[in-house]
């Protein structure tokens, strides 16, 4: 049972670089989410999607972009990385607002 | 708007002590309510949930009751164990989003 899989698990970026965090789920969930969690803090919603072709901004979308071309995949793009984007990123999915399932997290450091 | 307020931590308890972590929410409509737990270095995982008023969610000795009149979903456990040390998040779901509280860190000492 793969569930929600996100890659990479760890990444160090230089200021100004770009990268994509990959996320895929095999549960046929319609809802997918990207959160960031800063040290000792709660989760902040970056973007979410209620289905293929539909994305919406969350609480902290600036500096990020997403796409949802398929039900399974929901990549998060960081453009022009900044130190403020150093965080742990969690992808998650759910079906119509039922239990949300999280990936294992991606630790990103921008130096 | 929608929001959730959790009891601030950190909380430190001795083994077998009683635990309460308060959670209140503000939401439009009729949210489903969840508690998630995060163990060190891991992602969040579901602890329990309730989907309508007066429902009680329970799991691993933890309980929480959906109180619509007080918009609360307090987490309780009668006797905590060292293995319960983790961060606990309250999360109402409404308007296509989960709203996570800031988390309450619990440390249980032997």
């Amino acid at each position: 049972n793969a569930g929600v899989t996100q890659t990479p698990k760890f990444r160090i970026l230089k200021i100004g670089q770009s990268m994509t965090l990959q996320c895929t789920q095999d549960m046929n969930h319609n809802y997918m989410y990207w959160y960031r969690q800063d040290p000792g803090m709660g989760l902040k919603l970056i973007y979410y999607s209620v289905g293929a072709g539909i994305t919406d901004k969350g609480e902290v979308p600036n500096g990020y972009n997403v796409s949802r071309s398929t039900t399974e995949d929901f990549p998060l793009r960081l453009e022009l990385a900044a130190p403020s984007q150093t965080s742990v990123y969690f992808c998650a999915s759910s079906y119509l607002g039922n239990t949300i399932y999280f990936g294992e997290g991606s630790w990103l450091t921008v130096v | 708007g929608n929001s959730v307020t959790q009891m601030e931590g950190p909380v430190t308890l001795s083994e077998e002590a009683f635990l309460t972590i308060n959670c209140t929410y503000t939401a439009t409509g009729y949210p489903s309510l969840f508690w998630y737990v995060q163990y060190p270095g891991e992602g969040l995982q579901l602890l329990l949930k309730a989907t309508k008023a007066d429902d009680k969610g329970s799991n691993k000795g933890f309980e929480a009751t959906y109180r619509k009149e007080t918009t609360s979903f307090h987490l309780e456990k009668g006797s905590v164990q060292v293995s319960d040390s983790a961060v606990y998040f309250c999360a109402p779901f409404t308007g296509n989003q989960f709203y996570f509280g800031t988390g309450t860190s619990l440390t249980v000492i032997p």
Side-chain angles (χ1 to χ4, degrees), chain B residues 15-47:
Chain B
E15 207 165 21
E16 299 184 3
F18 184 85
L19 169 71
T20 299
I21 300 178
N22 290 337
C23 171
T24 58
Y25 64 90
T26 303
T28 54
Y30 208 148
S32 296
L33 301 175
F34 298 79
W35 275 100
Y36 280 82
V37 58
Q38 185 179 31
Y39 298 102
E42 299 183 10
L44 280 72
Q45 54 187 277
L46 176 68
L47 180 60

mmCIF file of all heavy atoms in Angstrom, chain B residues 15-47:
data_model
loop_
_atom_site.group_PDB
_atom_site.id
_atom_site.type_symbol
_atom_site.label_atom_id
_atom_site.label_comp_id
_atom_site.label_asym_id
_atom_site.label_seq_id
_atom_site.Cartn_x
_atom_site.Cartn_y
_atom_site.Cartn_z
ATOM 1 N N GLU B 15 3.907 9.388 33.428
ATOM 2 C CA GLU B 15 3.182 8.215 32.933
ATOM 3 C C GLU B 15 1.976 7.941 33.819
ATOM 4 O O GLU B 15 2.028 8.117 35.038
ATOM 5 C CB GLU B 15 4.120 7.003 32.928
ATOM 6 C CG GLU B 15 3.776 5.959 31.900
ATOM 7 C CD GLU B 15 4.912 4.959 31.682
ATOM 8 O OE1 GLU B 15 5.770 4.826 32.570
ATOM 9 O OE2 GLU B 15 4.932 4.328 30.607
ATOM 10 N N GLU B 16 0.885 7.554 33.193
ATOM 11 C CA GLU B 16 -0.400 7.230 33.840
ATOM 12 C C GLU B 16 -1.197 8.466 34.248
ATOM 13 O O GLU B 16 -2.285 8.315 34.811
ATOM 14 C CB GLU B 16 -0.215 6.287 35.029
ATOM 15 C CG GLU B 16 0.403 4.935 34.626
ATOM 16 C CD GLU B 16 0.502 3.965 35.786
ATOM 17 O OE1 GLU B 16 0.044 4.307 36.896
ATOM 18 O OE2 GLU B 16 1.022 2.866 35.588
ATOM 19 N N ALA B 17 -0.719 9.645 33.946
ATOM 20 C CA ALA B 17 -1.489 10.864 34.252
ATOM 21 C C ALA B 17 -2.620 11.019 33.244
ATOM 22 O O ALA B 17 -2.633 10.415 32.178
ATOM 23 C CB ALA B 17 -0.573 12.087 34.208
ATOM 24 N N PHE B 18 -3.586 11.893 33.620
ATOM 25 C CA PHE B 18 -4.725 12.194 32.747
ATOM 26 C C PHE B 18 -4.347 13.334 31.811
ATOM 27 O O PHE B 18 -3.717 14.304 32.213
ATOM 28 C CB PHE B 18 -5.931 12.596 33.595
ATOM 29 C CG PHE B 18 -7.180 12.837 32.794
ATOM 30 C CD1 PHE B 18 -8.008 11.785 32.445
ATOM 31 C CD2 PHE B 18 -7.532 14.128 32.385
ATOM 32 C CE1 PHE B 18 -9.168 11.996 31.700
ATOM 33 C CE2 PHE B 18 -8.683 14.353 31.646
ATOM 34 C CZ PHE B 18 -9.500 13.280 31.309
ATOM 35 N N LEU B 19 -4.763 13.189 30.550
ATOM 36 C CA LEU B 19 -4.434 14.180 29.536
ATOM 37 C C LEU B 19 -5.690 14.849 29.000
ATOM 38 O O LEU B 19 -6.681 14.176 28.688
ATOM 39 C CB LEU B 19 -3.709 13.522 28.365
ATOM 40 C CG LEU B 19 -3.527 14.377 27.097
ATOM 41 C CD1 LEU B 19 -2.497 15.481 27.335
ATOM 42 C CD2 LEU B 19 -3.124 13.507 25.914
ATOM 43 N N THR B 20 -5.643 16.172 28.901
ATOM 44 C CA THR B 20 -6.639 16.926 28.148
ATOM 45 C C THR B 20 -5.912 17.934 27.279
ATOM 46 O O THR B 20 -5.060 18.675 27.776
ATOM 47 C CB THR B 20 -7.610 17.696 29.059
ATOM 48 O OG1 THR B 20 -8.320 16.773 29.872
ATOM 49 C CG2 THR B 20 -8.599 18.504 28.231
ATOM 50 N N ILE B 21 -6.240 17.962 26.005
ATOM 51 C CA ILE B 21 -5.753 18.996 25.100
ATOM 52 C C ILE B 21 -6.984 19.676 24.505
ATOM 53 O O ILE B 21 -7.788 19.046 23.826
ATOM 54 C CB ILE B 21 -4.880 18.430 23.967
ATOM 55 C CG1 ILE B 21 -3.661 17.711 24.539
ATOM 56 C CG2 ILE B 21 -4.437 19.573 23.035
ATOM 57 C CD1 ILE B 21 -2.769 17.073 23.480
ATOM 58 N N ASN B 22 -7.123 20.972 24.805
ATOM 59 C CA ASN B 22 -8.314 21.696 24.374
ATOM 60 C C ASN B 22 -8.222 22.124 22.915
ATOM 61 O O ASN B 22 -7.150 22.491 22.418
ATOM 62 C CB ASN B 22 -8.521 22.937 25.238
ATOM 63 C CG ASN B 22 -8.935 22.575 26.648
ATOM 64 O OD1 ASN B 22 -9.461 21.496 26.900
ATOM 65 N ND2 ASN B 22 -8.691 23.466 27.591
ATOM 66 N N CYS B 23 -9.370 22.085 22.256
ATOM 67 C CA CYS B 23 -9.465 22.536 20.868
ATOM 68 C C CYS B 23 -10.829 23.177 20.662
ATOM 69 O O CYS B 23 -11.860 22.569 20.966
ATOM 70 C CB CYS B 23 -9.302 21.374 19.900
ATOM 71 S SG CYS B 23 -9.671 21.785 18.175
ATOM 72 N N THR B 24 -10.836 24.404 20.177
ATOM 73 C CA THR B 24 -12.076 25.058 19.774
ATOM 74 C C THR B 24 -11.926 25.541 18.347
ATOM 75 O O THR B 24 -10.815 25.795 17.888
ATOM 76 C CB THR B 24 -12.436 26.242 20.687
ATOM 77 O OG1 THR B 24 -11.349 27.179 20.661
ATOM 78 C CG2 THR B 24 -12.679 25.796 22.108
ATOM 79 N N TYR B 25 -13.034 25.675 17.651
ATOM 80 C CA TYR B 25 -12.972 26.021 16.239
ATOM 81 C C TYR B 25 -14.042 27.052 15.899
ATOM 82 O O TYR B 25 -15.041 27.205 16.597
ATOM 83 C CB TYR B 25 -13.146 24.778 15.364
ATOM 84 C CG TYR B 25 -14.499 24.128 15.506
ATOM 85 C CD1 TYR B 25 -15.568 24.500 14.688
ATOM 86 C CD2 TYR B 25 -14.730 23.158 16.476
ATOM 87 C CE1 TYR B 25 -16.819 23.912 14.841
ATOM 88 C CE2 TYR B 25 -15.968 22.575 16.632
ATOM 89 C CZ TYR B 25 -17.003 22.964 15.824
ATOM 90 O OH TYR B 25 -18.241 22.399 15.982
ATOM 91 N N THR B 26 -13.772 27.737 14.814
ATOM 92 C CA THR B 26 -14.740 28.634 14.194
ATOM 93 C C THR B 26 -14.890 28.183 12.755
ATOM 94 O O THR B 26 -13.894 28.079 12.038
ATOM 95 C CB THR B 26 -14.253 30.101 14.221
ATOM 96 O OG1 THR B 26 -14.003 30.478 15.564
ATOM 97 C CG2 THR B 26 -15.297 31.023 13.616
ATOM 98 N N ALA B 27 -16.112 27.872 12.359
ATOM 99 C CA ALA B 27 -16.296 27.350 11.010
ATOM 100 C C ALA B 27 -17.676 27.680 10.493
ATOM 101 O O ALA B 27 -18.641 27.705 11.247
ATOM 102 C CB ALA B 27 -16.084 25.836 10.994
ATOM 103 N N THR B 28 -17.740 27.909 9.189
ATOM 104 C CA THR B 28 -19.040 28.041 8.547
ATOM 105 C C THR B 28 -19.559 26.638 8.251
ATOM 106 O O THR B 28 -18.777 25.711 8.001
ATOM 107 C CB THR B 28 -18.920 28.830 7.241
ATOM 108 O OG1 THR B 28 -17.932 28.205 6.419
ATOM 109 C CG2 THR B 28 -18.500 30.260 7.516
ATOM 110 N N GLY B 29 -20.846 26.490 8.314
ATOM 111 C CA GLY B 29 -21.401 25.181 8.037
ATOM 112 C C GLY B 29 -21.172 24.211 9.169
ATOM 113 O O GLY B 29 -21.069 24.596 10.337
ATOM 114 N N TYR B 30 -21.053 22.953 8.793
ATOM 115 C CA TYR B 30 -21.045 21.869 9.770
ATOM 116 C C TYR B 30 -19.792 21.027 9.536
ATOM 117 O O TYR B 30 -19.819 20.057 8.794
ATOM 118 C CB TYR B 30 -22.290 21.030 9.533
ATOM 119 C CG TYR B 30 -22.821 20.317 10.743
ATOM 120 C CD1 TYR B 30 -24.185 20.093 10.869
ATOM 121 C CD2 TYR B 30 -21.989 19.843 11.746
ATOM 122 C CE1 TYR B 30 -24.698 19.424 11.954
ATOM 123 C CE2 TYR B 30 -22.478 19.176 12.831
ATOM 124 C CZ TYR B 30 -23.847 18.965 12.936
ATOM 125 O OH TYR B 30 -24.357 18.306 14.019
ATOM 126 N N PRO B 31 -18.677 21.404 10.172
ATOM 127 C CA PRO B 31 -17.426 20.718 9.835
ATOM 128 C C PRO B 31 -17.353 19.303 10.382
ATOM 129 O O PRO B 31 -18.000 18.969 11.368
ATOM 130 C CB PRO B 31 -16.372 21.595 10.504
ATOM 131 C CG PRO B 31 -17.089 22.195 11.675
ATOM 132 C CD PRO B 31 -18.504 22.423 11.207
ATOM 133 N N SER B 32 -16.536 18.478 9.748
ATOM 134 C CA SER B 32 -16.085 17.238 10.361
ATOM 135 C C SER B 32 -14.855 17.593 11.192
ATOM 136 O O SER B 32 -14.110 18.508 10.853
ATOM 137 C CB SER B 32 -15.702 16.212 9.288
ATOM 138 O OG SER B 32 -16.832 15.863 8.518
ATOM 139 N N LEU B 33 -14.640 16.851 12.262
ATOM 140 C CA LEU B 33 -13.557 17.198 13.184
ATOM 141 C C LEU B 33 -12.589 16.033 13.319
ATOM 142 O O LEU B 33 -13.011 14.872 13.434
ATOM 143 C CB LEU B 33 -14.131 17.574 14.553
ATOM 144 C CG LEU B 33 -15.103 18.738 14.554
ATOM 145 C CD1 LEU B 33 -15.692 18.939 15.954
ATOM 146 C CD2 LEU B 33 -14.424 20.020 14.090
ATOM 147 N N PHE B 34 -11.303 16.359 13.340
ATOM 148 C CA PHE B 34 -10.255 15.348 13.354
ATOM 149 C C PHE B 34 -9.182 15.711 14.385
ATOM 150 O O PHE B 34 -8.926 16.895 14.656
ATOM 151 C CB PHE B 34 -9.559 15.266 11.986
ATOM 152 C CG PHE B 34 -10.458 14.860 10.847
ATOM 153 C CD1 PHE B 34 -11.321 15.769 10.256
ATOM 154 C CD2 PHE B 34 -10.426 13.569 10.360
ATOM 155 C CE1 PHE B 34 -12.155 15.404 9.206
ATOM 156 C CE2 PHE B 34 -11.246 13.185 9.301
ATOM 157 C CZ PHE B 34 -12.104 14.108 8.739
ATOM 158 N N TRP B 35 -8.559 14.691 14.938
ATOM 159 C CA TRP B 35 -7.302 14.830 15.659
ATOM 160 C C TRP B 35 -6.257 14.002 14.927
ATOM 161 O O TRP B 35 -6.485 12.817 14.617
ATOM 162 C CB TRP B 35 -7.408 14.350 17.103
ATOM 163 C CG TRP B 35 -7.928 15.375 18.047
ATOM 164 C CD1 TRP B 35 -9.196 15.494 18.538
ATOM 165 C CD2 TRP B 35 -7.187 16.449 18.648
ATOM 166 N NE1 TRP B 35 -9.296 16.568 19.379
ATOM 167 C CE2 TRP B 35 -8.078 17.161 19.473
ATOM 168 C CE3 TRP B 35 -5.854 16.868 18.566
ATOM 169 C CZ2 TRP B 35 -7.687 18.286 20.212
ATOM 170 C CZ3 TRP B 35 -5.462 17.974 19.299
ATOM 171 C CH2 TRP B 35 -6.372 18.674 20.111
ATOM 172 N N TYR B 36 -5.099 14.649 14.656
ATOM 173 C CA TYR B 36 -3.980 13.973 14.028
ATOM 174 C C TYR B 36 -2.803 13.974 14.998
ATOM 175 O O TYR B 36 -2.670 14.879 15.837
ATOM 176 C CB TYR B 36 -3.579 14.657 12.724
ATOM 177 C CG TYR B 36 -4.477 14.271 11.578
ATOM 178 C CD1 TYR B 36 -5.702 14.904 11.390
ATOM 179 C CD2 TYR B 36 -4.121 13.244 10.710
ATOM 180 C CE1 TYR B 36 -6.545 14.531 10.355
ATOM 181 C CE2 TYR B 36 -4.960 12.861 9.674
ATOM 182 C CZ TYR B 36 -6.166 13.508 9.513
ATOM 183 O OH TYR B 36 -7.010 13.133 8.496
ATOM 184 N N VAL B 37 -1.921 12.981 14.862
ATOM 185 C CA VAL B 37 -0.745 12.880 15.714
ATOM 186 C C VAL B 37 0.495 12.794 14.835
ATOM 187 O O VAL B 37 0.465 12.184 13.763
ATOM 188 C CB VAL B 37 -0.848 11.658 16.665
ATOM 189 C CG1 VAL B 37 -1.002 10.351 15.905
ATOM 190 C CG2 VAL B 37 0.360 11.585 17.592
ATOM 191 N N GLN B 38 1.551 13.463 15.272
ATOM 192 C CA GLN B 38 2.812 13.440 14.538
ATOM 193 C C GLN B 38 3.920 12.998 15.469
ATOM 194 O O GLN B 38 4.279 13.705 16.411
ATOM 195 C CB GLN B 38 3.122 14.825 13.965
ATOM 196 C CG GLN B 38 4.363 14.860 13.088
ATOM 197 C CD GLN B 38 4.630 16.234 12.506
ATOM 198 O OE1 GLN B 38 4.309 17.252 13.123
ATOM 199 N NE2 GLN B 38 5.219 16.281 11.329
ATOM 200 N N TYR B 39 4.484 11.831 15.181
ATOM 201 C CA TYR B 39 5.617 11.344 15.941
ATOM 202 C C TYR B 39 6.899 11.940 15.350
ATOM 203 O O TYR B 39 6.924 12.320 14.175
ATOM 204 C CB TYR B 39 5.647 9.820 15.931
ATOM 205 C CG TYR B 39 4.423 9.219 16.576
ATOM 206 C CD1 TYR B 39 3.373 8.701 15.810
ATOM 207 C CD2 TYR B 39 4.278 9.203 17.964
ATOM 208 C CE1 TYR B 39 2.237 8.180 16.398
ATOM 209 C CE2 TYR B 39 3.142 8.686 18.565
ATOM 210 C CZ TYR B 39 2.125 8.179 17.773
ATOM 211 O OH TYR B 39 0.998 7.681 18.363
ATOM 212 N N PRO B 40 7.946 12.046 16.115
ATOM 213 C CA PRO B 40 9.176 12.699 15.665
ATOM 214 C C PRO B 40 9.665 12.171 14.324
ATOM 215 O O PRO B 40 9.793 10.967 14.126
ATOM 216 C CB PRO B 40 10.168 12.389 16.784
ATOM 217 C CG PRO B 40 9.315 12.232 17.993
ATOM 218 C CD PRO B 40 8.056 11.567 17.509
ATOM 219 N N GLY B 41 9.924 13.102 13.396
ATOM 220 C CA GLY B 41 10.475 12.744 12.100
ATOM 221 C C GLY B 41 9.504 12.118 11.130
ATOM 222 O O GLY B 41 9.901 11.636 10.072
ATOM 223 N N GLU B 42 8.225 12.116 11.477
ATOM 224 C CA GLU B 42 7.227 11.469 10.622
ATOM 225 C C GLU B 42 6.161 12.463 10.170
ATOM 226 O O GLU B 42 6.079 13.584 10.652
ATOM 227 C CB GLU B 42 6.553 10.319 11.369
ATOM 228 C CG GLU B 42 7.506 9.215 11.790
ATOM 229 C CD GLU B 42 6.773 8.058 12.461
ATOM 230 O OE1 GLU B 42 5.527 8.027 12.425
ATOM 231 O OE2 GLU B 42 7.462 7.185 13.018
ATOM 232 N N GLY B 43 5.341 12.017 9.225
ATOM 233 C CA GLY B 43 4.196 12.808 8.813
ATOM 234 C C GLY B 43 3.051 12.636 9.799
ATOM 235 O O GLY B 43 3.136 11.867 10.750
ATOM 236 N N LEU B 44 1.994 13.389 9.557
ATOM 237 C CA LEU B 44 0.832 13.299 10.435
ATOM 238 C C LEU B 44 0.022 12.048 10.102
ATOM 239 O O LEU B 44 -0.059 11.630 8.945
ATOM 240 C CB LEU B 44 -0.068 14.515 10.270
ATOM 241 C CG LEU B 44 0.339 15.778 11.000
ATOM 242 C CD1 LEU B 44 1.549 16.404 10.354
ATOM 243 C CD2 LEU B 44 -0.814 16.767 11.030
ATOM 244 N N GLN B 45 -0.592 11.475 11.115
ATOM 245 C CA GLN B 45 -1.473 10.344 10.887
ATOM 246 C C GLN B 45 -2.734 10.525 11.719
ATOM 247 O O GLN B 45 -2.719 11.130 12.790
ATOM 248 C CB GLN B 45 -0.775 9.019 11.210
ATOM 249 C CG GLN B 45 -0.168 8.927 12.583
ATOM 250 C CD GLN B 45 0.651 7.667 12.761
ATOM 251 O OE1 GLN B 45 0.110 6.605 13.049
ATOM 252 N NE2 GLN B 45 1.953 7.771 12.576
ATOM 253 N N LEU B 46 -3.827 9.988 11.206
ATOM 254 C CA LEU B 46 -5.114 10.146 11.857
ATOM 255 C C LEU B 46 -5.114 9.467 13.216
ATOM 256 O O LEU B 46 -4.700 8.314 13.359
ATOM 257 C CB LEU B 46 -6.218 9.538 10.993
ATOM 258 C CG LEU B 46 -7.619 9.551 11.596
ATOM 259 C CD1 LEU B 46 -8.141 10.988 11.695
ATOM 260 C CD2 LEU B 46 -8.563 8.698 10.779
ATOM 261 N N LEU B 47 -5.619 10.173 14.239
ATOM 262 C CA LEU B 47 -5.794 9.579 15.552
ATOM 263 C C LEU B 47 -7.270 9.216 15.750
ATOM 264 O O LEU B 47 -7.591 8.088 16.093
ATOM 265 C CB LEU B 47 -5.338 10.543 16.637
ATOM 266 C CG LEU B 47 -5.471 10.058 18.072
ATOM 267 C CD1 LEU B 47 -4.662 8.795 18.307
ATOM 268 C CD2 LEU B 47 -5.063 11.164 19.056
#
